[in-house]
Amino acid sequence: GSNPFGPQASSLKRARLPIAVMHGLIHNVFKMFVLDTFGEDLWKRVLGKLDILDDSPILELEQHSDELTLGLVDVAVEVAGVPWGEAMKLFGGYFVRHVAKQGWVTMLSSMGQCLKEFLGNLNELHHILERDIRTGIFPSFSVEDGPDGQIVLTYRSRRLLPEFMVGILGEIAAVLFRICVDVREVSRGEGVVVWHIKELGFVEEQTKAMVAQPRHSSALEFCSFFDFHKAMVASCCSS
């Protein structure tokens, strides 16, 4: 079929990191999320609970265990004292802002001229990524027209992370299309969640100023958009 990424497709051909480094990449982004959202003291408390004296080894761009990655997230949520779902929404939004700040807004924007078109191209993006991640179990999405101009988005995955996805959806709408959306869950079953997405209006600058903005990371400058997306898959979707 046609390439949904249009003239930006050539930018996807830059060197990509091997899948083995993806846990380290997600650790770096997660550390920045904790620092920017909750502060350095909380990150130190997280390391203390995990008996980690120096975090540099876990930030190396190499393979780490799933147990370590999930342990970092679980302990950070516990220490922060916020509900798991709320923390995942915050991290989903931060992840999008981080990718955008690394300079990948143009590539993301090439996936669609509106939110519905963008969502409709997610499966194509995952088909491309499957060539690199043979063990990845990717989510799938279907998009339909809903009542009153809403988008009906169906999300299927063997490992559901709906709160993380809600954070991503809200921030994608704000960063790429400058709109605020209401993402309302209408049904959930085994391996499937359905949302109604309603556009609420344009993003107000003061609203964006209230959320944690990611710092620029020179250490991750050579990472492509695909690397960030693969990091998410490696941590959330791999078999």
Side-chain angles (χ1 to χ4, degrees):
S2 60
N3 189 333
F5 306 108
Q8 297 301 321
S10 59
S11 68
L12 307 182
K13 298 178 182 178
R14 60 183 291 184
R16 302 174 194 167
L17 296 174
I19 188 63
V21 309
M22 290 307 151
H23 283 86
L25 179 52
I26 205 74
H27 291 175
N28 276 271
V29 179
F30 187 72
K31 176 183 178 178
M32 288 186 279
F33 164 68
V34 171
L35 293 177
D36 290 340
T37 307
F38 302 110
E40 185 175 3
D41 180 64
L42 189 134
W43 179 249
K44 291 179 179 178
R45 290 164 60 195
V46 170
L47 296 179
K49 277 186 167 288
L50 293 171
D51 295 322
I52 297 174
L53 299 178
D54 176 13
D55 66 5
S56 56
I58 69 171
L59 300 177
E60 291 290 334
L61 296 181
E62 62 185 23
Q63 183 73 29
H64 299 282
S65 69
D66 287 339
E67 290 75 15
L68 174 59
T69 302
L70 295 174
L72 279 172
V73 175
D74 287 340
V75 172
V77 170
E78 175 190 342
V79 173
V82 297
W84 168 266
E86 185 59 32
M88 288 300 96
K89 287 180 186 177
L90 290 172
F91 185 42
Y94 186 94
F95 193 92
V96 171
R97 293 193 299 278
H98 180 80
V99 171
K101 196 161 187 176
Q102 297 300 313
W104 291 95
V105 170
T106 301
M107 182 272 161
L108 286 169
S109 298
S110 70
M111 288 179 59
Q113 296 184 351
C114 63
L115 181 60
K116 181 183 176 184
E117 187 176 330
F118 176 92
L119 297 174
N121 280 325
L122 284 176
N123 290 338
E124 182 65 25
L125 172 62
H126 290 161
H127 289 329
I128 296 173
L129 288 173
E130 282 174 345
R131 302 169 191 168
D132 288 344
I133 313 178
R134 300 299 182 183
T135 60
I137 302 173
F138 289 83
S140 65
F141 300 89
S142 60
V143 180
E144 302 174 75
D145 292 322
D148 302 319
Q150 297 181 69
I151 300 170
V152 179
L153 179 65
T154 302
Y155 160 57
R156 295 181 176 86
S157 176
R158 285 177 56 178
R159 185 183 295 178
L160 286 177
L161 290 171
E163 292 82 9
F164 185 62
M165 281 301 308
V166 168
I168 287 176
L169 291 169
E171 200 62 26
I172 283 287
V175 170
L176 297 187
F177 305 107
R178 311 298 299 168
I179 57 173
C180 293
V181 293
D182 174 55
V183 183
R184 182 170 59 90
E185 184 177 312
V186 293
S187 68
R188 183 184 300 203
E190 185 175 351
V192 60
V193 177
V194 179
W195 294 294
H196 282 183
I197 303 175
K198 181 180 181 180
E199 183 176 333
L200 301 178
F202 289 104
V203 171
E204 296 181 9
E205 291 303 320
Q206 59 265 34
T207 301
K208 288 190 67 62
M210 294 170 61
V211 298
Q213 295 299 316
R215 61 193 69 199
H216 183 77
S217 173
S218 58
L220 302 181
E221 283 180 342
F222 59 89
C223 299
S224 74
F225 165 73
F226 271 28
D227 294 326
F228 288 110
H229 197 92
K230 286 192 291 185
M232 183 169 61
V233 171
S235 298
C236 306
C237 308
S238 295
S239 57

